[in-house]
Amino acid sequence: MEITQHPRGELLELRLNGRIDGTWGDHLSTTIEKAVRAGSHHLALNCSGVDYISSLGIGVIVTHYKVLKSVNGSLLVTHPSKFVRQILDTVGLTSILIDGADAPTAPSPTARREMRGAAVYQIYPQLAAQPLSCSLIGDPGKLTTTGFSAADCRSIMFPRGTFGLGLGAFGTGFADCENRFGEFLAAGGCAVALPTGEPDAAPDYLIQEGSLIPRVETLYALSGAGDFSTMVRFDALSERSEKIGISELLTTLLDFSSASAIGLVVLAETACIVGTSLLKSPALGPVDHAVPGVRDWLSFTTERVSEKNLALLVGVAGRDVSDETAAFLRPLRPGSTIHAHVHAAVFSYRPVQEGELPFAGTISSTIAAANPKALLHLMADSRPYDGVGETDLARGACWIGPLKTFSRG
């Protein structure tokens, strides 16, 4: 089978020539998947040159139709050959797949569009009945000085309308969690935590259901509450290698907010994730940052990989923050005037739904659809020769709000 690509604005036409059968079905599926990963969420399959399609071929098309439909994208069959038309009529898919059934939706007229650096942005104002607030809980300095004890443990609830990140665990008090404390994040009535102490441990999560509200036993945390005032879509420009660095994104989000500090939640398709996670609970003692002892405490991403993933980022970023707040943040990269603390839960690749997304329900549906496979504290690796750089994102949706004050929790 021969497949050629013909972009037409937001629509990407794939012109197919040959048979869609057991031999070529995987080729078509791979081509569609690569187009979606590259950011094309509206596809037209021009089937004028298709002389045969089997049930397997129909299954490939329907599978990708459902995936794109779930993220406000579309997949159409255009210019079907006589044989393709007859088969789609027979199986009852003509009204769903044939030309014109779905069309790309125009961006919301409420969105402001801007181009900054390596990405294009769409900014959607949100109703923020309750401004964001943030509490500073615990002493992050103990991570490398004394370690943490039972006196440092705080139980925090994260219902809808809150967000947070830090070091914590799911359980009932310090004694229960002592060997499992690790990175966690929370947003939208969901919490994800990475237990330490077990080889290849997978992140666990809780989602608010009825009277079940996620609760995290924390050693230290940034805990926020309120409504995000702005939603921002971003899409890396293809002529700039289809990626935007996390430092550039956070700088731009701060500019959009016109605030010295923001709380943020990001759902993004990633080009590369760079970060670290604890291997042992800091309740067992202070983390050794010197080589070789650090290798027993921390796991680092050691190389850049091209495989794309879906990531949920929760964090706080700011300029000119107080010394007390700065203790919970780190410079984005050497020399940066912006300090931030961001954790990321990583999932298998899935495209981010297009258009304006409601915060309520989006995070929980993302986590429920696929188990997180990693949880990282994002950081830049700026070593002169061996450094792997920083996290790069391809496209996604952000919810942000200004943080005017930080209080001690």
Side-chain angles (χ1 to χ4, degrees):
M1 167 178 282
E2 180 184 4
I3 304 176
T4 58
Q5 300 189 16
H6 303 269
R8 301 193 335 238
E10 289 190 11
L11 188 69
L12 175 63
E13 181 186 42
L14 300 180
R15 294 180 187 173
L16 315 181
N17 188 25
R19 296 167 61 91
I20 309 177
D21 55 14
T23 301
W24 293 105
D26 284 346
H27 177 51
L28 175 59
S29 182
T30 300
T31 301
I32 294 174
E33 185 175 330
K34 286 182 178 179
V36 173
R37 286 176 179 254
S40 296
H41 291 179
H42 298 284
L43 303 180
L45 306 183
N46 184 328
C47 292
S48 59
V50 175
D51 50 30
Y52 177 81
I53 184 170
S54 68
S55 294
L56 184 148
I58 292 172
V60 167
I61 293 174
V62 170
T63 295
H64 288 286
Y65 168 85
K66 291 179 178 178
V67 169
L68 285 166
K69 191 75 171 175
S70 72
V71 295
N72 283 355
S74 62
L75 186 147
L76 317 173
V77 171
T78 64
H79 309 292
S81 65
K82 182 178 180 180
F83 184 87
V84 170
R85 180 80 182 215
Q86 180 181 355
I87 293 297
L88 294 182
D89 286 343
T90 301
V91 298
L93 291 174
T94 300
S95 62
I96 297 175
L97 295 177
I98 289 296
D99 197 0
D102 291 307
T105 55
S108 167
T110 63
R112 184 176 90 250
R113 185 180 174 91
E114 288 197 23
M115 190 174 294
R116 297 277 189 100
V120 60
Y121 297 85
Q122 294 176 28
I123 301 98
Y124 301 82
Q126 306 288 292
L127 178 63
Q130 183 66 39
L132 288 187
S133 60
C134 188
S135 296
L136 308 173
I137 297 170
D139 180 3
K142 290 185 177 182
L143 182 66
T144 56
T145 55
T146 61
F148 298 91
S149 67
D152 299 303
C153 188
R154 287 275 303 275
S155 182
I156 305 177
M157 305 289 280
F158 288 101
R160 298 183 185 96
T162 66
F163 70 95
L165 70 157
L167 295 184
F170 296 135
T172 54
F174 181 84
D176 179 40
C177 300
E178 185 174 7
N179 297 321
R180 294 184 284 108
F181 285 110
E183 289 82 5
F184 84 89
L185 62 78
C190 307
V192 183
L194 179 64
T196 56
E198 298 180 9
D200 303 318
D204 197 5
Y205 64 87
L206 289 171
I207 298 176
Q208 182 173 346
E209 293 285 352
S211 60
L212 173 64
I213 297 175
R215 184 186 70 187
V216 182
E217 303 296 323
T218 67
L219 298 180
Y220 79 83
L222 291 156
S223 177
D227 299 317
F228 295 103
S229 59
T230 308
M231 182 201 149
V232 180
R233 303 265 343 178
F234 69 93
D235 199 332
L237 300 172
S238 57
E239 58 266 30
R240 305 283 182 88
S241 71
E242 298 186 349
K243 63 184 180 182
I244 173 174
I246 185 68
S247 58
E248 180 180 334
L249 176 65
L250 295 188
T251 300
T252 302
L253 295 179
L254 277 165
D255 290 344
F256 287 157
S257 74
S258 299
S260 59
I262 58 172
L264 59 103
V265 175
V266 182
L267 188 61
E269 299 170 31
T270 70
C272 175
I273 289 283
V274 177
T276 184
S277 57
L278 283 164
L279 295 171
K280 295 194 298 186
S281 169
L284 303 177
V287 174
D288 184 357
H289 273 193
V291 177
V294 67
R295 296 178 185 140
D296 295 328
W297 282 96
L298 295 172
S299 172
F300 297 91
T301 49
T302 57
E303 61 182 15
R304 298 181 66 85
V305 293
S306 59
E307 177 186 2
K308 287 189 176 181
N309 292 289
L310 177 67
L312 171 65
L313 283 59
V314 178
V316 169
R319 298 185 178 101
D320 302 322
V321 295
S322 69
D323 290 343
E324 185 176 41
T325 302
F328 286 77
L329 312 179
R330 296 290 183 273
L332 280 178
R333 56 195 313 167
S336 174
T337 59
I338 294 177
H339 288 64
H341 193 158
V342 182
H343 286 184
V346 183
F347 305 82
S348 295
Y349 176 78
R350 187 178 169 205
V352 176
Q353 184 173 326
E354 292 196 331
E356 183 177 5
L357 300 182
F359 183 70
T362 298
I363 305 305
S364 58
S365 62
T366 298
I367 295 175
N371 295 337
K373 58 184 185 179
L375 180 57
L376 299 170
H377 171 102
L378 298 190
M379 57 177 286
D381 183 359
S382 302
R383 291 174 297 170
Y385 301 106
D386 299 327
V388 295
E390 65 175 351
T391 294
D392 289 324
L393 308 177
R395 62 192 55 82
C398 317
W399 295 268
I400 63 173
L403 288 169
K404 296 187 181 302
T405 60
F406 291 84
S407 61
R408 259 293 171 185

